[in-house]
Amino acid sequence: MNSTAFAQNTYETKYYEMQKSNEFPNIDGTWTDKVWENIPITTDFIQTEPVENAKPTFRTEVKMYYSDDALFIAAYCYDDEPENILRQVGNRDDELNADHFRISIDPYDNQQDFTTFQVTASGVQSDWKNSDGNFNAVWESAVSIKENGWVVEIKIPYSALRFSKNEEQQWAIQMYRNIKRLQEEVIWSPTKLSASNYMNYFGKATGIKNIDPPLRLSLTPFIGLLLQSAPNENNDREFNHLISGGADLKYGITASFTLDATLLPDFSQVQSDDFINNLSAFEQTFDEQRAFFQEGVDLFNKADLFYSRRIGAGVLYPNAGYNAEGDSAVVVSSPSKSRLLNALKVSGRTKKNIGIGIFNAIEARSYAKLKTEEGDEFKVQNDPLSNYNIVVMDKIFPKNKNIYAINTNVSRSDGARNGNVTAIGFSANFKDDQYNFRGSTSYSVINEKIDSVKLKRGYQYILDFDKTSGRFRYGWRTEAVSENYDKNDLGVIFQRNFYQHGWSMNYILFEPYGKIRDLFTQLFVSVRQHKPTGELSAVFFNLQANTTFDKQFLSFFTSMNTSLYEEKDFYAARTEGQGLSETAICQFQCRHFH
C-alpha cells in the first residue's frame, strides 16, 4: 500500500461546476449513455484511512449533473483485482462486508445536517440523515463489475431532498469510497480527521440554477376488518366484528416545510417490543418502532424532552376499574393502551436558517367496563382525553453557532394531570472550531389535582465545555436537577435532586506512529452530590484506551472502571431519607480483535 504523503496539510475546499441536462441515462451501472460524454470528471480523491492525506491505492472517477427533476451521479471505482472486490449481499441499510461508494449532500450549505446515499458493490442501498438514522427515501441505483473495477450509477429525485427556492444554489457535498479488503477509505474534499465538525470540509456543487422542488404528496388510506368467532356461556357460537380505517398523509407545503399526518393510525403491524423483566428502580424505555414517529423528528429532540413512546402508550389510570366498586363488581374489559385519534407534525427551515417544528397528537378517552352481581354494566374512565403538543424553533448562525427554544405541553381533560416544560439552549464553536461551549436550561410546571390543585415547579441546567481539536483534548460538564423537575409527560427522567460534575481528558493519534496505526485514550472522572444535603453519592473513574497496530489491523481495547467512593443510591432507598450504600468497586477488562 502506498502511504506516501499526497496532499500534506492541504485542506482547500473542492468545487464541482454542475451542468444541467434533461437527458436521462438508463440507471444500469454501465456509464455508457451518451449523456455522460460531455459531463466533467472529478478524480482527485485522497485517502483518509488508514493514512490521512496518503495517495489512494486505486483511482476513483465521478461525474455529476442535474435535471429539472433529479440529481445524477456516476462513479467509476478502479481496482486492479476486481475478483477480490468484497460484495456481501444483505438487506437495505445493513452494514455489510462490501466495498461501497456514498455521497452526502447538504443543500442549504449550513454545516448543520446532510443526507447520505450509499451503494455497495453488491448493489445494496443505504440512506440516512446525520440527524435522523431512520430516514428512508425512494431513489435509484445500479452497479456492475468491470475488468478493471466497478461502476455505480445513482439517480436522486428532488423529492428525497429539501432545498431552497433560490434561483441559483450552491450545495455542500462530500463523496467517499471504501475499499473493504484494504480497510481503506478515500474522500473527495480533504477533511481533517481531528475536525470537530467535518461538515466544514465538504466540497461545493455550484451552478445549480432554476430548479423547482416537486410536489411532495403521498396519501395512504387503509381499512381493517376483524372477525372473531367464539362459544358463549350456552356453548353457542357468537360472532364479533371490528372495522377500522384511517389514512397517512405526507405533503410538502413548500420546498423546505413538510406536513406529516396520521388519522386513526393502525400500528398492529409494528414490530413488538422484547419482553424484559425489569427489576430496577426505574422505568424501562424502548426504541420507537412506528414509522410516523421515526421520521423527521430531529428538531423535536432538542433538550431531550421528547420520548415518543409516551404517545399511544399505557392508559393513565390502569387500575381505575379495579378500584371503582371494591368487590361489588368485576372488570369485564379494561384497555391497557391509549387510543390515538390523530397526530401531525410540520417541520422545516426558512431561508434565514430558522428551523420551525410543530407537533400535535390527540388521544381519545377510554373506559374500563364493569359488571355488578346483578348483571348491570357500567363504565369507569381510565384514560382522559389528552392533547400532546410540541413547538420548537432554532436559529443557525455562521461558524457553527446555534440557539433553540422548545416547549412541550400535555393537557388532559377531567382534572387529570397536566404537564408543561420549556427549554432554551445554545452551542457555539470558536477559535476556528478548536473549542465548543454549549448549554441548556429547562423549567417544568406540573398541575396535578390531588384533593386540591397542586403545582410543582422544577428546573434543570447543563453546561459543557470541550476542546475539540488536536491530539490532546479535554472537557468539563456540570449539571443540576431540582427535586420537582419533571418532564415525564412527554419525556423521560430517571433521577433528580442532584448536582453532577465531570472532567475528561483525551489523547488521540490520527496518523501512524511507528507500528501504531492509531490511538485513542480517555480519562473521565465524575462526581455526583445529593442536592438537599450536598453529600457525595458517587465518585466515578473511567480509563480506556483503543489502539490499532501495523498493516494487519490488530486492535486492542482496554477499559478500567472504578468507584472511588462508597456509593449512596438515594433513588432506590429501602428507608425513607436514607441512601442505599454500595461498596466501592474496581473493574478491569482487556479485549483484542482482528
mmCIF file of all heavy atoms in Angstrom, residues 40 50 54 161 194 262 322 324 346 351 383 389 391 482 488:
data_model
loop_
_atom_site.group_PDB
_atom_site.id
_atom_site.type_symbol
_atom_site.label_atom_id
_atom_site.label_comp_id
_atom_site.label_asym_id
_atom_site.label_seq_id
_atom_site.Cartn_x
_atom_site.Cartn_y
_atom_site.Cartn_z
ATOM 1 N N PRO A 40 -18.141 16.755 -17.005
ATOM 2 C CA PRO A 40 -16.765 16.773 -16.497
ATOM 3 C C PRO A 40 -16.544 15.740 -15.394
ATOM 4 O O PRO A 40 -17.462 15.409 -14.639
ATOM 5 C CB PRO A 40 -16.586 18.193 -15.975
ATOM 6 C CG PRO A 40 -17.975 18.696 -15.725
ATOM 7 C CD PRO A 40 -18.839 18.035 -16.741
ATOM 8 N N PRO A 50 -6.249 4.071 5.800
ATOM 9 C CA PRO A 50 -5.673 4.124 7.147
ATOM 10 C C PRO A 50 -4.674 5.255 7.363
ATOM 11 O O PRO A 50 -4.251 5.501 8.490
ATOM 12 C CB PRO A 50 -4.971 2.776 7.261
ATOM 13 C CG PRO A 50 -4.560 2.460 5.871
ATOM 14 C CD PRO A 50 -5.651 2.997 4.992
ATOM 15 N N ALA A 54 -2.743 10.338 2.412
ATOM 16 C CA ALA A 54 -1.924 9.482 1.559
ATOM 17 C C ALA A 54 -2.590 9.326 0.192
ATOM 18 O O ALA A 54 -3.792 9.567 0.029
ATOM 19 C CB ALA A 54 -1.727 8.112 2.208
ATOM 20 N N LEU A 161 -34.863 15.207 -1.272
ATOM 21 C CA LEU A 161 -34.058 16.283 -0.697
ATOM 22 C C LEU A 161 -34.939 17.474 -0.363
ATOM 23 O O LEU A 161 -36.010 17.663 -0.929
ATOM 24 C CB LEU A 161 -32.974 16.724 -1.689
ATOM 25 C CG LEU A 161 -31.935 15.676 -2.101
ATOM 26 C CD1 LEU A 161 -31.126 16.190 -3.275
ATOM 27 C CD2 LEU A 161 -31.023 15.337 -0.928
ATOM 28 N N SER A 194 -9.139 15.158 12.710
ATOM 29 C CA SER A 194 -9.282 15.727 14.052
ATOM 30 C C SER A 194 -10.345 16.817 14.108
ATOM 31 O O SER A 194 -10.549 17.433 15.144
ATOM 32 C CB SER A 194 -7.942 16.310 14.511
ATOM 33 O OG SER A 194 -7.494 17.320 13.611
ATOM 34 N N THR A 262 -51.306 11.560 10.481
ATOM 35 C CA THR A 262 -51.894 10.223 10.514
ATOM 36 C C THR A 262 -53.235 10.316 11.220
ATOM 37 O O THR A 262 -53.374 10.972 12.264
ATOM 38 C CB THR A 262 -50.967 9.220 11.220
ATOM 39 O OG1 THR A 262 -51.568 7.920 11.204
ATOM 40 C CG2 THR A 262 -50.664 9.608 12.646
ATOM 41 N N TYR A 322 -60.579 -1.508 38.629
ATOM 42 C CA TYR A 322 -60.454 -2.421 39.760
ATOM 43 C C TYR A 322 -60.707 -1.716 41.092
ATOM 44 O O TYR A 322 -61.077 -2.340 42.092
ATOM 45 C CB TYR A 322 -59.062 -3.040 39.770
ATOM 46 C CG TYR A 322 -58.777 -3.861 38.535
ATOM 47 C CD1 TYR A 322 -58.126 -3.310 37.441
ATOM 48 C CD2 TYR A 322 -59.185 -5.185 38.459
ATOM 49 C CE1 TYR A 322 -57.885 -4.046 36.295
ATOM 50 C CE2 TYR A 322 -58.953 -5.942 37.325
ATOM 51 C CZ TYR A 322 -58.302 -5.362 36.241
ATOM 52 O OH TYR A 322 -58.080 -6.103 35.116
ATOM 53 N N ALA A 324 -62.896 0.817 41.420
ATOM 54 C CA ALA A 324 -64.136 1.593 41.334
ATOM 55 C C ALA A 324 -65.172 1.193 42.362
ATOM 56 O O ALA A 324 -65.726 2.032 43.050
ATOM 57 C CB ALA A 324 -64.720 1.475 39.920
ATOM 58 N N VAL A 346 -45.366 19.394 11.517
ATOM 59 C CA VAL A 346 -44.910 20.287 10.462
ATOM 60 C C VAL A 346 -43.501 20.717 10.830
ATOM 61 O O VAL A 346 -43.258 21.165 11.960
ATOM 62 C CB VAL A 346 -45.822 21.517 10.318
ATOM 63 C CG1 VAL A 346 -45.274 22.456 9.244
ATOM 64 C CG2 VAL A 346 -47.240 21.101 9.978
ATOM 65 N N LYS A 351 -35.301 30.452 4.768
ATOM 66 C CA LYS A 351 -34.103 30.904 4.061
ATOM 67 C C LYS A 351 -33.086 31.524 5.005
ATOM 68 O O LYS A 351 -31.892 31.584 4.694
ATOM 69 C CB LYS A 351 -34.488 31.919 2.982
ATOM 70 C CG LYS A 351 -35.300 31.332 1.827
ATOM 71 C CD LYS A 351 -35.616 32.398 0.791
ATOM 72 C CE LYS A 351 -36.417 31.815 -0.369
ATOM 73 N NZ LYS A 351 -36.748 32.848 -1.391
ATOM 74 N N ASP A 383 -58.663 6.586 31.060
ATOM 75 C CA ASP A 383 -57.748 7.432 30.295
ATOM 76 C C ASP A 383 -58.518 8.659 29.822
ATOM 77 O O ASP A 383 -59.532 8.524 29.120
ATOM 78 C CB ASP A 383 -57.180 6.677 29.086
ATOM 79 C CG ASP A 383 -55.812 7.205 28.675
ATOM 80 O OD1 ASP A 383 -55.153 7.879 29.501
ATOM 81 O OD2 ASP A 383 -55.383 6.943 27.541
ATOM 82 N N ASN A 389 -48.498 18.319 22.646
ATOM 83 C CA ASN A 389 -48.079 19.378 21.748
ATOM 84 C C ASN A 389 -46.606 19.726 21.961
ATOM 85 O O ASN A 389 -46.128 19.770 23.099
ATOM 86 C CB ASN A 389 -48.940 20.630 21.975
ATOM 87 C CG ASN A 389 -48.585 21.757 21.032
ATOM 88 O OD1 ASN A 389 -47.833 22.659 21.388
ATOM 89 N ND2 ASN A 389 -49.112 21.695 19.829
ATOM 90 N N VAL A 391 -43.729 22.644 20.334
ATOM 91 C CA VAL A 391 -43.356 23.759 19.459
ATOM 92 C C VAL A 391 -41.870 24.014 19.664
ATOM 93 O O VAL A 391 -41.417 24.153 20.808
ATOM 94 C CB VAL A 391 -44.167 25.029 19.764
ATOM 95 C CG1 VAL A 391 -43.715 26.175 18.869
ATOM 96 C CG2 VAL A 391 -45.659 24.780 19.590
ATOM 97 N N SER A 482 -33.388 19.854 39.972
ATOM 98 C CA SER A 482 -34.075 20.107 41.235
ATOM 99 C C SER A 482 -35.004 18.954 41.599
ATOM 100 O O SER A 482 -35.289 18.075 40.782
ATOM 101 C CB SER A 482 -34.868 21.415 41.138
ATOM 102 O OG SER A 482 -35.975 21.258 40.269
ATOM 103 N N ASN A 488 -41.712 13.958 32.566
ATOM 104 C CA ASN A 488 -42.184 12.614 32.238
ATOM 105 C C ASN A 488 -43.471 12.568 31.422
ATOM 106 O O ASN A 488 -43.813 11.505 30.907
ATOM 107 C CB ASN A 488 -42.374 11.797 33.522
ATOM 108 C CG ASN A 488 -41.082 11.142 33.968
ATOM 109 O OD1 ASN A 488 -40.295 10.676 33.137
ATOM 110 N ND2 ASN A 488 -40.841 11.133 35.267
#
